[in-house]
Each structure stands twice: as C-alpha cells, then as structure tokens.
Amino acid sequence: MKWNWDVARDFLPHLGKGLLVTLEVTALGSVLAFTLGLVWALALRSPARWVRWPVAAVVEFVRNTPLLVQLFFFYYVLPNWDITFSALTTGVIALGLHYSTYTAEVYRAGIDGVPKGQWEAAIALSLSRGRTWFAVILPQAIRRVVPALGNYVISMLKDSPLIALIGVSEMLQKARAESASSFQYIEAYTMVGIAFILIAYPASVLMRALERRLGH
C-alpha cells in the first residue's frame, strides 16, 4: 500500500483535534495523579494504623491491576451503581488514580531523602507538624522528585490511547475513524505515531536536562 498525501492532508485537522484531547487528558490526569499521590504518601506515613493500612491496601490494589481493567470498571461497572461519568472524565480519573499510586512512591522516596537534620531543626524551632511538613520537608522533597514526576507524565501520555477503547476521540480514535471511512490505514496511524514521538521525545530530553540541573 502506497502513501497517499491527499488522505494525510485530509486527516491533519482531525489529528489536531485529537491531539488537543490527548494533551487535555494527560494534563488533567497528571494534576490528579500528583495530588492524590501526595495524599497517599502522607497517609502512608501517618502514625494511625486505621489511616495507614487502608491506604496501603488501596495503593497496592490499584498498582497491581491493569490500567485497562480499571478503565473498563469505571466506565462500564460504576454506572450499575448509579455512578456515571462522561468518557473523557472517566479517562482522566482512571489515568490519574492509576498513576497516583506510582507518584506516591516517588514522593515517599523524596521525603525519605530529606536529611534527618531538617526534621531535628524543625523540632528545635518548635514548628507545628503541619508547618514542618509544608514549610520545611515537602519543598525539599518535591524539588528532588520533579524529574521522576515528569517521567510519569510522559508515561501517561503514552498510555492515553487506551481511552479510545471507551470512545474518547483522542488521536488514536480519530485515526481509527479516518481509516474506517477511507480504508487507508498507513497514513492516519503513522501520523499518530509521529505525533507521539514529537511530543514524548523532547519532553524526555527536557526531563533529563532538568534532572541534571536539579542534581547540582
């Protein structure tokens, strides 16, 4: 099958619309993953077992089940309990929740990397527990883990085509629709692959540069 420039040109506007949806899902999913991940990380360090143990169970369960299964559960099973979201919202929630269990581990490593003397200094200054966390510990911990969090954003971007399976019109879904109508498959899918490379590769280079800069 030969490359057809007319088909590629006709698909380009659809690719742009799908790209915007992909970036929207990735951005919103990342915000959710970073926020929930920090909540999980702080809860896992709670002195109260009734907080720590249930959170640990949820994190392990989500981390050890496939993202696709979670996506289908949210979209097809929850409506049976009158909990309904749009396909786009479902995709954001599934991606954000899934990756929050990994970012929680990243935050944990960052918190553990803060020198013990910082904790002792906060105690010596009689800082409250909340002020110790949010004014002393977390600013240092988050600075250490920014590159790792960025890598998970890239991973989330590459997993975003899974939401096409519940009908979200992101790049892959647009390519499937275009291929079904024109019976030309090579152009649409190739352009989607190139789009992912053009986004993910510069982002990965930026993350490596950021890691080196923060490392100094």
Side-chain angles (χ1 to χ4, degrees):
M1 185 179 295
K2 294 182 179 180
W3 180 273
N4 189 322
W5 285 105
D6 291 332
V7 172
R9 187 165 51 252
D10 291 340
F11 176 62
L12 195 57
H14 302 290
L15 177 66
K17 293 179 181 178
L19 175 60
L20 291 178
V21 175
T22 297
L23 295 177
E24 179 184 2
V25 170
T26 302
L28 294 176
S30 298
V31 171
L32 182 59
F34 295 163
T35 304
L36 280 179
L38 183 57
V39 172
W40 304 149
L42 295 177
L44 289 171
R45 296 181 68 92
S46 172
R49 287 181 293 182
W50 62 272
V51 173
R52 190 171 64 251
W53 289 1
V55 170
V58 170
V59 168
E60 287 301 319
F61 177 80
V62 173
R63 189 183 297 170
N64 288 285
T65 52
L67 173 58
L68 184 58
V69 173
Q70 296 166 16
L71 191 64
F72 282 174
F73 179 85
F74 286 129
Y75 193 68
Y76 294 110
V77 177
L78 289 186
N80 293 322
W81 300 328
D82 296 325
I83 303 175
T84 306
F85 303 104
S86 68
L88 181 64
T89 302
T90 300
V92 170
I93 292 174
L95 282 170
L97 178 61
H98 184 81
Y99 276 94
S100 71
T101 61
Y102 294 98
T103 59
E105 185 66 19
V106 172
Y107 285 125
R108 183 200 64 77
I111 292 169
D112 289 345
V114 175
K116 186 179 179 180
Q118 297 295 310
W119 296 91
E120 296 171 346
I123 294 173
L125 292 171
S126 300
L127 298 182
S128 65
R129 183 176 178 83
R131 188 165 177 78
T132 298
W133 273 108
F134 291 100
V136 180
I137 304 304
L138 287 181
Q140 298 181 63
I142 291 175
R143 182 178 184 275
R144 295 168 179 267
V145 302
V146 166
L149 293 177
N151 289 333
Y152 279 117
V153 174
I154 298 171
S155 296
M156 200 178 306
L157 171 71
K158 292 188 289 187
D159 277 344
S160 64
L162 289 175
I163 65 176
L165 298 177
I166 59 172
V168 179
S169 294
E170 48 72 67
M171 288 193 292
L172 180 61
Q173 183 73 349
K174 294 289 188 182
R176 292 172 64 186
E178 177 66 21
S179 300
S181 62
S182 66
F183 298 102
Q184 297 283 337
Y185 297 93
I186 185 172
E187 293 83 4
Y189 287 115
T190 300
M191 291 172 70
V192 168
I194 292 173
F196 274 109
I197 292 173
L198 291 178
I199 298 170
Y201 181 72
S204 64
V205 172
L206 177 62
M207 286 302 106
R208 287 197 293 268
L210 184 60
E211 184 174 7
R212 289 193 298 270
R213 181 177 180 84
L214 293 179
H216 293 304

